[in-house]
Structures are given as structure tokens and as C-alpha cells.
Amino acid sequence: MNPPVNEVSSPPANPALKLRPAQPDDVPLILSLIRELAEYEKEPDAAIATEEDLLRCGFGPEPYFRCLIAEWNGQPAGFALYFFQFSTWEGKPALYLEDLFVRPQFRKQGIGRAFFTRLAQIALEKQCTRFQWEVLDWNQPAIDFYQALGAKVMRAWLNMRMIGPELNQLAGEK
Amino acid sequence: MNPPVNEVSSPPANPALKLRPAQPDDVPLILSLIRELAEYEKEPDAAIATEEDLLRCGFGPEPYFRCLIAEWNGQPAGFALYFFQFSTWEGKPALYLEDLFVRPQFRKQGIGRAFFTRLAQIALEKQCTRFQWEVLDWNQPAIDFYQALGAKVMRAWLNMRMIGPELNQLAGEK
């Protein structure tokens, strides 16, 4: 049973659910889940990542991300992709959740909630003092759920991003 | 000379300025610069990081950050601390700038601008498709400067953060 959004008490462990770290041979599955998430967000063309990208960036000598896979009765049900940041003032790493997706047929089983719990555990194992992620400002149900978990919206901070031609132009300055 | 905020043309290279990657023996300097930044932002008590934290998290087997040091005529003038993230849709890393600080007596020499240029170069070397950072929403002069560099404000995304007791409580759920 999925806990109601406004309830923070712990759901019982469910033997049907297994969360495990992704391995290199999960790359086709991860890419499929990334594309399913992009389709769900109605931006199927935005997911241009390839299997080669994921293998190089997630499982090479310099990994840029880590990934958990959820299995429900042995079936791949979703993924959580994350990486570590660093807080200079605190002098400690922070866990950043980049993507979380549960396939529609596996929802309402507490899988999303289980991912959050596991990620909080990983954060503490790594001595992180923060667990962070982003949410679209119109997604009030998600914001409510996150706040019920104990997260706060950091409204004072704006995200700046430079891409494409501007990035190349800036890099071209000597 | 510092370029005006609304000018994107390249400043000339200045032989007084050297940007170099930080080494482990820069840790006391980095910590001092972190504390100077916290004082400048009127939050001196917020910088609780120690030399041990920085050595472990920046120069150990699993580095969580990288750092550039600026020297002006051989004097330490500032730092830029950054790390890499990952964009799942693009399948490429992203460079995230966590902190940038130039000591007051070294300002108006284009050092901040030189940091941005070098970081953009590092981003492209690492095949990043994004260069990202955050800014406080009331800091309009900084926002203007960043936009003149070619960055965009990603206003639709809110930052969520979980810390302290809430993080421990969530992790305690099995």
C-alpha cells in the first residue's frame, strides 16, 4: 500500500520489492527507463543518451553517476539515478537525486517511497549532510509529497545554466 | 580591467594572473578562502568545514570536488570549487560550480571572468553539455553578469533539500 501523501510513517517492508545497485549489463534497461520517463514527461525527443554514453559515464574509470534498480517480483519496475555533490561550508558530500521513475504498472506499491528511504540511507553511509533534488514548480502533488518526507523548498536559490553555443563561445576566450 | 557587465567580448590575457588546479597542500588556503566567503556573505558561523574534511573529500580515493586557485603576481587571490553532475537525457556530464570567490583586494582585474572561461574550457574537455551554478534571487547584478555570459535562469525548477533530523528519520525506515 502506498502511504498517503501527508503521512510520514514508515510503510512495511514488502518481500516483492528488491532495490539493487545497477551493473554494466543493466545499461539497456536504464536507457529504456530514461526514455520511458522522457515519454511520460511528453518530451520523447529530449532523451538522446546512448548505451555507450551510459556505459562510459556510469561504469567507466571516472563514474559520473550511480543508479539503483527496483525489481518487483523479479520484474524491472523503476530506477533512481543519483550522484554526489559537495557542500563547502559543511565540508561534507551531498547526495543529489537526478531522476526517479517507476513504471506505471508498478505504482501505488510504495516503490518511490522505498527509493527515497534507501537513498537517505546511502547519503548517511557516505557522511552526506544533505539529500537534494529538483522539482518543477507546477508539480504541487510532488512538492507536497517531498515536504511530507521532511524536505524543504529552497526558494531563494535560482538555477543558472549555460549550454551549446554560449558555452563554446565562453570557452573560446583565452 | 574588469569587463562591463553587459559586454561579452573577451578580456585580454593578463600575465599577472595564473589559474592552477589545487593540490593537497592548498587545503589550508582553500579553507581560508571558504571562511572568507562565508564572512563576506555575513554567515561566518556557517563554514564549519575542517582541513581534514577538505583533504578527505577533495584529494582522497573518491574525490567529491575539484578546485582551481587563482594567483595574482604569485599571491593567492581566489578559488573556484566545482564538481561534475550527469544529465540523463543528454547522456553527458555537466560541470557544476559550487563556489567562486575573489579576495576584495584582487577584484576588478577580470579574475572572476577568467575563472568562468577556464571552467567552460574544462566542461568542454570533459564532454559536458552543461555548465551550471546557483545564484540568490535578490542578487540582480550577479544575474545580469551571468546572463551577459550567456547563461539562462531556469526558473521552472525548484530546489528541494532534506537535512539533519528529517534525513535521519527517513533513513531509519526499513
Side-chain angles (χ1 to χ4, degrees):
Chain A
M1 196 191 84
N2 206 35
V5 158
N6 59 353
E7 192 192 322
V8 188
S9 67
S10 176
N14 191 316
L17 178 62
K18 182 183 173 190
L19 299 185
R20 60 172 180 80
Q23 305 299 327
D25 59 8
D26 289 313
V27 159
L29 170 64
I30 298 168
L31 185 58
S32 177
L33 291 164
I34 289 171
R35 289 175 175 165
E36 289 169 46
L37 173 56
E39 277 188 31
Y40 177 74
E41 298 191 357
K42 303 199 190 306
E43 294 208 49
D45 297 335
I48 59 173
T50 66
E51 289 189 8
E52 191 181 19
D53 288 332
L54 297 179
L55 205 55
R56 178 176 72 87
C57 293
F59 303 94
E62 187 176 27
Y64 292 105
F65 69 84
R66 296 156 197 244
C67 186
L68 292 176
I69 301 287
E71 291 178 354
W72 186 263
N73 289 323
Q75 300 295 310
F79 81 123
L81 191 143
Y82 64 101
F83 42 75
F84 293 100
Q85 303 181 321
F86 182 72
S87 162
T88 42
W89 287 7
E90 292 165 6
K92 295 288 187 298
L95 190 151
Y96 185 90
L97 173 60
E98 171 72 13
D99 267 349
L100 189 153
F101 181 69
V102 177
R103 286 176 158 161
Q105 65 270 38
F106 296 102
R107 293 184 192 164
K108 309 284 182 193
Q109 313 280 5
I111 297 177
R113 173 65 177 245
F115 270 132
F116 271 92
T117 298
R118 179 65 56 86
L119 290 165
Q121 292 165 350
I122 293 170
L124 294 181
E125 284 165 19
K126 292 286 186 179
Q127 294 187 267
C128 294
T129 49
R130 300 179 183 180
F131 174 16
Q132 302 185 116
W133 61 94
E134 290 179 20
V135 63
L136 283 161
D137 59 1
W138 50 258
N139 195 348
Q140 195 60 47
I143 294 170
D144 290 343
F145 173 66
Y146 300 149
Q147 288 182 322
L149 287 178
K152 290 186 172 57
V153 186
M154 309 300 289
R155 290 193 190 272
W157 290 96
L158 299 177
N159 296 312
M160 304 294 309
R161 183 183 295 174
M162 184 181 295
I163 59 171
E166 292 81 9
L167 182 57
N168 280 284
Q169 184 181 340
L170 182 60
E173 297 179 8
K174 298 298 178 195
Chain B
M1 195 192 84
N2 207 36
V5 158
N6 59 353
E7 192 193 322
V8 187
S9 67
S10 176
N14 190 315
L17 177 63
K18 182 184 173 190
L19 299 185
R20 62 171 179 80
Q23 306 297 328
D25 58 8
D26 289 313
V27 159
L29 169 64
I30 298 168
L31 185 58
S32 176
L33 291 164
I34 288 171
R35 289 175 175 166
E36 289 168 47
L37 173 57
E39 278 189 31
Y40 178 76
E41 297 191 357
K42 303 199 191 307
E43 294 208 49
D45 298 336
I48 58 172
T50 65
E51 288 188 10
E52 192 181 19
D53 288 332
L54 297 180
L55 205 55
R56 178 176 73 88
C57 293
F59 304 94
E62 187 176 25
Y64 292 106
F65 70 83
R66 294 156 198 243
C67 185
L68 291 176
I69 301 288
E71 291 178 355
W72 186 263
N73 289 322
Q75 300 294 310
F79 81 124
L81 192 142
Y82 63 101
F83 42 76
F84 293 99
Q85 304 180 320
F86 183 71
S87 163
T88 42
W89 286 6
E90 292 164 8
K92 295 289 187 299
L95 190 151
Y96 184 89
L97 174 60
E98 171 72 12
D99 267 349
L100 189 153
F101 181 70
V102 177
R103 286 175 158 162
Q105 64 270 37
F106 295 103
R107 293 183 190 164
K108 310 285 181 192
Q109 313 279 5
I111 298 177
R113 173 64 177 246
F115 270 132
F116 271 92
T117 297
R118 179 64 58 86
L119 290 166
Q121 292 165 351
I122 293 169
L124 293 182
E125 284 165 19
K126 291 286 185 179
Q127 295 186 266
C128 294
T129 48
R130 301 179 183 182
F131 174 16
Q132 302 186 115
W133 61 94
E134 290 179 19
V135 63
L136 283 160
D137 58 2
W138 49 259
N139 195 349
Q140 196 59 47
I143 294 170
D144 290 343
F145 173 67
Y146 300 148
Q147 289 182 323
L149 288 179
K152 289 186 171 58
V153 187
M154 309 300 289
R155 290 193 190 274
W157 290 96
L158 300 177
N159 296 311
M160 303 296 307
R161 181 182 296 174
M162 185 181 294
I163 60 171
E166 292 82 10
L167 182 57
N168 281 284
Q169 184 181 339
L170 183 60
E173 297 179 8
K174 299 298 176 192

